Structures are given as structure tokens and as C-alpha cells.
Amino acid sequence: GWHRNMLLPSATMQISFLKDLVTFRNPTSSFSFIAFLHASGRLPQFVNNQDFFPTRQEFHQYLEWAQVRVADRIAYGSEVTSIRLPPGALPEQSDRLRLEVADATGRVGRVVEARNVVISTGLVPSMPEGTERDERVWHSSEFLEKYRRMNPGELRRVAVVGAGQSAAEITRFLYDELPHAQVYAVIPSYGYSVADDTPFANQVFDPGAVDDYYFGTQQTREAFWRYHRNTNYSVVDDEVIRDLYRRSYDDDVRGVRRLQLLNLTRVTGVKRAGAETRVTLQVGPDGEVRELDFDVLVCATGYNGMEPTELLGDIDRHCLRDETGRYRVERDYRIATAPEMRCGIYLQGGTEHTHGLTSSLLSNIAVRSGEIADSIVARRVGRNAGRAVPAKV
Ligand code: NAP
């Protein structure tokens, strides 16, 4: 599934459907979103909608449709527990890596050998400090699954933490789904800030921006983040902000305040108090500490980068790092390795420090995946021709 737990009914894509799995790399591919619409018999209706942003549910259907066609190459329900060199082999002696693969029960049942491995294990949920997940404290990435386990009638005071897209969508969902409940939005800013998707700013997601970032100076890179972080992080689509404000205003009109905005507020801890969840909040400019009880706390507090160090085990020492300890990554997304290492380890995601804002995003996935595939082929061809392929570090 693709973020199944965030497939909220009215949630739409934040990028154009043309940024699907293939179109930016090959507009004639039969794996495009348009091909999916055609196959589903919905192309005319979709066009009548005049909307570049389908629902996330429809995009999920597209991804399911696409994966069916490659399902024979995918081992679902599997977990790679280690990536190593073959037993006893030195890096210069082996052009294969050995992947141990566990099945759904956790039992290692299979070994796969590969010349190259692309690691794309995704971002890791980030919780506020001092906050553990449990049946009543959830991260947004598990939202729908956990929500469906509850009896909605018992949810009378719920809180959503964060001022990003996930938080705003979940707040709107809970407000609409739980008409008897008080919904608290705990946001660190004064109000939700809008995601800048205007055309010039949107160019940071163009495939060409990866080169500008990768080959840019430290100053250029800092400028990307300073000026354009608000295209993606801690920001919300205009439409969702307006939806929430309208609900808040309707509360005023009815004289029943159901949507409570706790602004300039951060969660600093959570204690379990029977069935209730006691949340410690730091409120306002003076950081005044308050405690509130909720039936459920949803932390839509974002994600941390992908960290493959553990997976790589011993091989990790052959991977080069920069002065701050992060992986050095070549332009083709291959981790820069010591010269003796013959196998390729590629990162699909986890390269924001080298490739910029789009590294883990769908917006550039077609081109990024193509670059990785091309690199694997080119390096193989280069080696077979007996010449070194120049690495653009
Ligand atoms: P996010 O943008 O990283 O936002 C996390 C929010 O949590 C920030 O406002 C952060 O504030 C806040 N936060 C963190 N710790 C906190 C604390 N202790 N107390 C209070 N607030 C705290 O994460 P996201 O909303 O999950 O979005 C992640 C990505 O998914 C984005 O690219 C987004 O566009 C995408 N997304 C897309 C859709 C869609 O396509 N419809 C839906 C959801 C998400 P600070 O910044 O001040 O720490």
C-alpha cells in the first residue's frame, strides 16, 4: 500500500497526476496515470473534472493497477534483515552482495544475491520527545488503522499535533467524523501556513533542480532550504486551511466551540492516566506548561530521514561519509564507496543532503528511478568493456 493510513476520503494529491511513475521519463509509457484512466474507462470523466490533483485514493488505485503488472517480480511480505558480502569474501573479491530475506513470520527463508542493491525503505515516523506510540497515542502514518479500531462514540476529546498537511487533513477528518467530540489542534505556529505551489517556486521540484542542488555551492544549497522549505514541510494546502477556518467560524456562529486551536504550542511529553492520555504542552511565547487529558492523541509530527546503516552492517565501513557523518552519494544516487568495493549500493530516498528537496518525493520519482536504472546498466557495460566508468562525485 501507499500511505494507506492517510487515505482520508477527501484528501487530494499535492502534485499533478502527470508526476506519476513514468511520464516525466517516458510520456509514451503504458504505465502512466493516463493509461490507467483509459484502462479504467474513466479518461473522459477525469478530463471533464479539469483537475490536475486526483484524490489520494484514486492515485492509490493507479499504483495498485501498475504493480499488478510487475507483481511476478515482487516478493511481498518479505523483509531484508541483512546485506552482507558472501561469507569469507573481501569486497574486491566479490561482485555480489548477499541479502538475507525473512518472510512474514520473521524467519529467514531465502538468500538473494545481487550486484547492486537499491535501498528505498522510506522515511521513519518522528514523535515528539518523551512520547511513545500506543493504542491511544498514534503517529499520523498509522492513523486510519488505529482509528478504525476505536469506537468513535467513545472519542470525546481528541488532539492532533502538528501544523503540516497530515495534521490539517486529520483534524478536518476528525471534526467531520466525530460531531460529538472536541477536536484540539496543537500547532507550534500562530496559524497554519500555506504550501507555496506557485509556478516559480514549484520549479524546485523540476528534475533539473537536482543538478542545481547537487552541483551547487553550500550557499546555493542553503538557499534552497531557506527559501523553499515552505513548498513541502510544515505547510498546508490552501483549500484545507480554508476548510478548517470555515468550520471554526461555523462553531462561532452556532456558539459551540468544537475545534480548539492551541497555537504557539508544542507537545513535550505524554503520560498514561487510565484510559486517558495526559499530554504536557508548552504554550505561548513564555513556554507556560499545561497538562490536558485526551482520549486519543494523533502526532502528525513528520518524519526523519531513511537510515540504512544497520541494514548495511559490516559493508557500511566501505561507504564513504562527509565531514558531518552523512553518506557521500554520487549524482546517480550510488553511495560513494571505497575503491575496493565492486558492488553498488543506491539510495532511493535519504539523499536530501546531496540531491535536495525532492529526494524522497513522488514529484521526481520517474526521473530518479530512471537515473538509477541507467547507472546500473552503464556501470555494468563500462566494466564489461574493461574501462572504468567515471564517477561524478
Ligand atoms: P511535516 O510537514 O514535517 O509537519 C510536521 C509538523 O509537526 C510540523 O508543523 C512540526 O512543527 C510539527 N511538530 C513536530 N514536533 C512537534 C511537537 N512536539 N509539538 C507540536 N508540533 C510539532 O509532516 P507531514 O504533515 O506529515 O508532511 C510530510 C510530507 O507528507 C509532506 O511532504 C506533505 O506534503 C506530505 N503529505 C501529503 C499529503 C497529500 O498529498 N494530501 C497528505 C499528508 C502529507 P515544526 O516544523 O515547528 O517542528
Side-chain angles (χ1 to χ4, degrees):
W2 175 69
H3 301 292
R4 275 192 202 281
N5 289 318
M6 281 299 293
L7 294 181
L8 305 177
S10 47
T12 59
M13 297 297 290
Q14 294 185 281
I15 56 168
S16 160
F17 68 88
L18 292 168
K19 293 189 170 180
D20 59 19
L21 294 171
V22 288
T23 299
F24 271 38
R25 178 167 92 245
N26 174 11
T28 62
S29 166
S30 66
F31 281 92
S32 68
F33 188 77
I34 291 179
F36 155 74
L37 289 173
H38 186 257
S40 314
R42 277 205 306 272
L43 185 55
Q45 294 86 333
F46 182 84
V47 173
N48 288 340
N49 250 342
Q50 299 188 19
D51 193 345
F52 266 71
F53 306 98
T55 62
R56 283 171 73 91
Q57 282 179 341
E58 186 173 25
F59 204 77
H60 195 275
Q61 284 177 12
Y62 157 63
L63 295 173
E64 285 184 316
W65 167 86
Q67 68 81 30
V68 166
R69 296 169 59 196
V70 290
D72 60 325
R73 303 178 194 194
I74 304 172
Y76 285 111
S78 302
E79 187 184 350
V80 173
T81 53
S82 77
I83 306 176
R84 303 283 182 268
L85 289 164
L90 294 169
E92 59 272 28
Q93 291 169 334
S94 178
D95 69 346
R96 302 289 162 101
L97 292 168
R98 191 174 181 276
L99 282 68
E100 293 194 337
V101 184
D103 62 16
T105 65
R107 201 176 52 85
V108 173
R110 219 152 56 90
V111 169
V112 174
E113 290 200 338
R115 292 191 183 92
N116 296 281
V117 177
V118 184
I119 301 179
S120 51
T121 45
L123 299 169
V124 183
S126 163
M127 295 290 285
E129 245 177 53
T131 309
E132 296 291 329
R133 290 193 257 168
D134 63 24
E135 279 315 299
R136 286 175 181 270
V137 179
W138 315 334
H139 186 263
S140 52
S141 58
E142 51 185 0
F143 175 69
L144 278 178
E145 184 192 343
K146 288 276 176 79
Y147 177 76
R148 287 187 191 120
R149 282 190 215 159
M150 307 297 295
N151 172 1
E154 286 175 11
L155 299 179
R156 305 212 149 258
R157 272 165 75 90
V158 296
V160 183
V161 190
Q165 184 72 17
S166 302
E169 286 183 8
I170 291 172
T171 304
R172 180 176 64 176
F173 174 87
L174 290 173
Y175 184 93
D176 293 347
E177 289 288 308
L178 305 173
H180 52 278
Q182 300 269 309
V183 179
Y184 288 75
V186 182
I187 69 170
S189 51
Y190 194 76
Y192 296 103
S193 293
V194 71
D196 184 351
D197 65 349
T198 51
F200 287 109
N202 217 46
Q203 291 182 120
V204 292
F205 300 113
D206 289 355
V210 177
D211 280 337
D212 292 333
Y213 190 93
Y214 188 87
F215 297 110
T217 60
Q218 188 57 28
Q219 224 177 353
T220 316
R221 293 176 181 204
E222 280 166 13
F224 263 87
W225 287 108
R226 189 168 62 251
Y227 290 113
H228 302 296
R229 199 175 187 279
N230 70 341
T231 51
N232 189 53
Y233 290 112
S234 309
V235 286
V236 182
D237 271 358
D238 180 87
E239 172 224 332
V240 184
I241 295 179
R242 289 183 191 285
D243 272 3
L244 283 172
Y245 196 81
R246 200 161 293 121
R247 283 158 177 74
S248 167
Y249 185 77
D250 288 346
D251 276 359
D252 283 346
V253 173
R254 282 195 299 269
V256 186
R257 178 133 294 286
R258 284 215 303 119
L259 180 58
Q260 308 274 359
L261 196 78
L262 303 180
N263 65 358
L264 300 174
T265 303
R266 299 191 77 88
V267 167
T268 54
V270 174
K271 280 179 251 158
R272 165 83 38 245
E276 287 200 325
T277 301
R278 183 153 299 163
V279 180
T280 310
L281 303 166
Q282 234 171 37
V283 187
D286 306 329
E288 178 204 336
V289 176
R290 276 175 73 185
E291 287 195 334
L292 289 178
D293 290 338
F294 297 107
D295 298 319
V296 154
L297 180 76
V298 188
C299 297
T301 41
Y303 295 83
N304 293 323
M306 183 174 88
E307 193 22 275
T309 309
E310 200 179 319
L311 196 59
L312 290 173
D314 277 355
I315 308 176
D316 194 63
R317 66 195 158 90
H318 305 291
C319 299
L320 307 184
R321 295 188 179 254
D322 65 18
E323 54 291 345
T324 61
R326 297 174 302 189
Y327 288 113
R328 286 178 59 202
V329 187
E330 299 179 19
R331 174 60 185 85
D332 56 5
Y333 300 97
R334 194 180 193 269
I335 297 184
T337 49
E340 67 272 12
M341 188 79 178
R342 295 171 64 196
C343 301
I345 302 162
Y346 289 80
L347 297 180
Q348 167 74 283
T351 60
E352 278 195 337
H353 60 296
T354 48
H355 293 69
L357 206 55
T358 56
S359 301
S360 61
L361 301 183
L362 205 52
S363 33
N364 198 30
I365 199 166
V367 173
R368 189 167 60 237
S369 308
E371 287 172 343
I372 292 174
D374 287 347
S375 160
I376 290 172
V377 174
R379 284 175 183 265
R380 182 95 194 125
V381 171
R383 240 195 326 270
N384 285 348
R387 60 186 164 81
V389 175
K392 294 178 277 178
V393 181

